[in-house]
Amino acid sequence: VTFVIEDIGTGGEGIGKVDGYTLFVKDAIIGDKIEAKIIKAKKNYGYARLEKIIEASSDRVTPACPVARQCGGCQIQQMSYQAQLRFKEKLVDDNLKRIGKIEGYEFFPAIGMEEPFRYRNKAQYPVGTAKDGSIVMGFYAGRTHSIISCTDCKIGAVENQYILAVIKSWMEFNDVAPYDEQTGRGLVRHVLIRTGFHTDEIMVCLVITDLKKRGVFDVLVGELCKKYADIKSIVFNENSRKTNCILGQKLVTAYGSDTIHDTMCGNDIEISPLSFYQVNTIQAERLYEIAADYAQLTGKETLLDLYCGAGTIGLSMSKKVKKLIGVEIIESAIDNAKRNAAANNVTNAEFICGDAGKIAAILYSRGERPDVIIADPARKGCTRDALEYMAKMSPDRIVMISCNHATAARDCAVLEELEYKTVKVKGVDLFGRTGHVETVCLLSRKDK
């Protein structure tokens, strides 16, 4: 079929119609006139594969990455960056209106990157076996666990490809087998590389199936340390389960320290393999600046930072509040948050490990009434009980930060039911070349 792409879906796929029948086409963008082959048809819509671009959209660009189309990482690399920002703004605004049924807020243009390549400070590379029996490292093809060979990711750190080359060469020479998802055999599952954007410190984490066999890697550890002075930590992580989860909970440090360091909003931040840390340091700093502006802090407030991770958001505002309370369910992240507070001489912070909803209930029962709440949950959003206790505490302002605009819209709608009003909304692009965008929403009490 031949048709023109008229819209774009939430995953970055182009949308067009043939005789009134809707088709979704990966790698096509608004304005493209294309030839496509229907590969899956349902009653009211279907999916098609892009076969030929008959007339390219004015927003189409040549992807910088040669495997952008096969890889599941960068869904919209073929779209100009300004068009990407427009697409993300529309996603956020449409979902607030469609899912949240929210109206009347002030909507601002998305904050884009100055350089939307080489921005990621974290990369997770699955390791497997290609059809010819060779070792392959890269990323999963979209919606599959088929590994596309790609070690020089254009949105990742340049150094990653060289570190991976050493690991791959060593595995091949020593006949160390990659993990096989089907049989559960093999030793190396993933390579996680984290880089301090401001410090250049590098952590290499090898995810293996059995920590007892880590001695096999002694020569590799020595080789990596000798070649790359910026490597400050080499860690082994054990994951022996048949699961899609990348990391297990058991860690052993083979070289250097258990953590690396970076700076965020002027604070020294300690990062472990399991820590949540925004993957785009520069844009995260801009995000936190916007959140602080929305919070309207004067130095007299109690700030509750729910889903606080390693404490980066709350610590960035600690000098502007009387008291900071951070809540996070991951114990290692809370340990990081406490150490980060101590390292930066923050004495007005309390960090609590536990489920956000349950801890919010405890805080409410002990009489805590924060003036401002900041919530930055995982993609699944806030739990209903967390939202209810946030509202019960009756803060003047709630700042919602989310990497999932759909669940952000849902959570804001719940808070609107609980006597809060969505006042301001802004997108911040932390994930250039992908269909993801961070959203910041300011909500105020309706009686204010």
Side-chain angles (χ1 to χ4, degrees):
V1 289
T2 299
F3 58 103
V4 175
I5 299 297
E6 300 172 345
D7 203 353
I8 191 164
T10 56
E13 64 277 11
I15 303 173
K17 291 188 177 182
V18 177
D19 297 330
Y21 184 75
T22 301
L23 288 171
F24 293 84
V25 188
K26 182 180 175 294
D27 305 309
I29 67 173
I30 294 174
D32 279 344
K33 184 177 181 180
I34 66 169
E35 182 180 292
K37 182 175 182 178
I38 297 173
I39 55 176
K40 187 176 183 179
K42 298 197 173 187
K43 183 177 180 181
N44 298 315
Y45 65 93
Y47 297 91
R49 182 176 60 244
L50 176 63
E51 297 288 325
K52 181 180 178 182
I53 299 171
I54 298 170
E55 187 176 325
S57 165
S58 59
D59 289 322
R60 176 171 282 279
V61 297
T62 301
C65 176
V67 295
R69 188 170 176 183
Q70 300 100 301
C71 178
C74 294
Q75 302 94 345
I76 54 174
Q77 203 177 120
Q78 71 281 358
M79 190 187 297
S80 73
Y81 190 56
Q82 289 306 311
Q84 290 179 34
L85 293 179
R86 293 196 301 271
F87 157 60
K88 294 181 183 190
E89 288 168 0
K90 187 174 184 296
L91 279 180
V92 173
D93 198 31
D94 285 355
N95 276 335
L96 283 167
K97 291 181 170 67
R98 182 177 58 85
I99 297 173
K101 311 293 187 214
I102 301 170
E103 300 283 351
Y105 49 85
E106 192 174 2
F107 189 76
F108 296 90
I111 304 297
M113 301 182 211
E114 292 180 8
E115 178 47 70
F117 285 111
R118 302 297 186 191
Y119 62 83
R120 283 189 66 96
N121 57 44
K122 174 185 176 183
Q124 298 173 140
Y125 298 89
V127 183
T129 304
K131 290 181 180 179
D132 63 1
S134 64
I135 293 173
V136 61
M137 297 175 172
F139 300 99
Y140 293 127
R143 302 176 187 274
T144 76
H145 269 214
S146 175
I147 301 173
I148 301 297
S149 179
C150 177
T151 56
D152 181 23
C153 175
K154 302 304 181 185
I155 61 174
V158 173
E159 298 80 9
N160 292 353
Q161 61 186 309
Y162 306 119
I163 293 170
L164 291 171
V166 172
I167 296 171
K168 181 180 178 183
S169 177
W170 178 88
M171 288 179 65
E172 290 172 338
F173 183 80
N174 291 279
D175 199 25
V176 174
Y179 176 71
D180 186 312
E181 288 186 347
Q182 302 302 317
T183 65
R185 295 173 183 164
L187 188 55
V188 183
R189 295 179 68 133
H190 279 80
V191 180
L192 163 64
I193 305 175
R194 306 191 79 150
T195 306
F197 191 87
H198 292 301
T199 63
D200 293 327
E201 293 187 4
I202 296 173
M203 168 184 284
V204 178
C205 178
L206 290 162
V207 184
I208 61 177
T209 55
D210 188 353
L211 281 178
K212 294 176 183 177
K213 297 180 180 179
R214 67 184 183 276
V216 172
F217 298 87
D218 287 348
V219 173
L220 172 63
V221 170
E223 191 174 344
L224 287 170
C225 298
K226 184 178 179 180
K227 286 193 173 185
Y228 304 105
D230 287 333
I231 293 179
K232 304 300 181 185
S233 174
I234 298 179
V235 180
F236 288 97
N237 175 269
E238 183 178 272
N239 186 353
S240 57
R241 298 172 297 162
K242 285 195 173 183
T243 174
N244 289 333
C245 294
I246 293 173
L247 295 170
Q249 292 302 309
K250 293 182 180 179
L251 296 166
V252 174
T253 300
Y255 169 80
S257 61
D258 298 338
T259 60
I260 58 170
H261 290 259
D262 198 12
T263 58
M264 176 75 75
C265 299
N267 289 316
D268 179 63
I269 302 297
E270 185 179 73
I271 307 163
S272 73
L274 300 177
S275 294
F276 171 78
Y277 187 66
Q278 293 284 7
V279 298
N280 186 330
T281 309
I282 297 296
Q283 287 297 95
E285 290 176 325
R286 301 180 78 179
L287 172 71
Y288 295 171
E289 287 170 4
I290 293 164
D293 178 58
Y294 283 8
Q296 302 169 45
L297 303 171
T298 66
K300 300 177 181 178
E301 293 85 5
T302 294
L303 171 64
L304 173 58
D305 181 10
L306 288 177
Y307 311 93
C308 71
T312 51
I313 298 177
L315 291 174
S316 74
M317 303 178 195
S318 60
K319 294 180 175 64
K320 301 176 182 178
V321 299
K322 182 180 179 181
K323 181 180 180 181
L324 166 65
I325 303 171
V327 178
E328 170 60 54
I329 197 169
I330 299 173
E331 189 174 354
S332 61
I334 284 292
D335 291 340
N336 286 156
K338 290 176 179 178
R339 287 197 292 270
N340 288 333
N344 293 284
N345 299 313
V346 175
T347 58
N348 60 342
E350 175 188 6
F351 290 100
I352 305 169
C353 185
D355 173 77
K358 292 177 181 177
I359 300 300
I362 291 170
L363 293 173
Y364 175 76
S365 66
R366 82 180 193 188
E368 292 287 355
R369 298 296 181 267
D371 303 282
V372 179
I373 294 177
I374 290 179
D376 184 13
R379 289 190 62 80
K380 63 183 179 181
C382 297
T383 58
R384 176 80 190 203
D385 59 339
L387 293 167
E388 289 177 350
Y389 276 101
M390 286 163 62
K392 279 185 178 182
M393 291 185 209
S394 197
D396 294 331
R397 292 170 295 284
I398 298 175
V399 181
M400 294 290 298
I401 301 174
S402 176
C403 59
N404 185 337
H405 34 81
T407 56
R410 181 203 67 199
D411 292 347
C412 285
V414 172
L415 288 170
E416 292 229 343
E417 292 173 14
L418 300 170
E419 299 306 311
Y420 279 82
K421 175 65 181 171
T422 306
V423 179
K424 295 180 180 181
V425 179
K426 184 179 290 190
V428 183
D429 188 25
L430 272 73
F431 316 103
R433 314 301 178 187
T434 80
H436 304 293
V437 60
E438 203 83 10
T439 306
V440 192
C441 303
L442 169 64
L443 297 98
S444 295
R445 282 200 349 235
K446 290 181 180 178
D447 60 0
K448 285 286 185 179

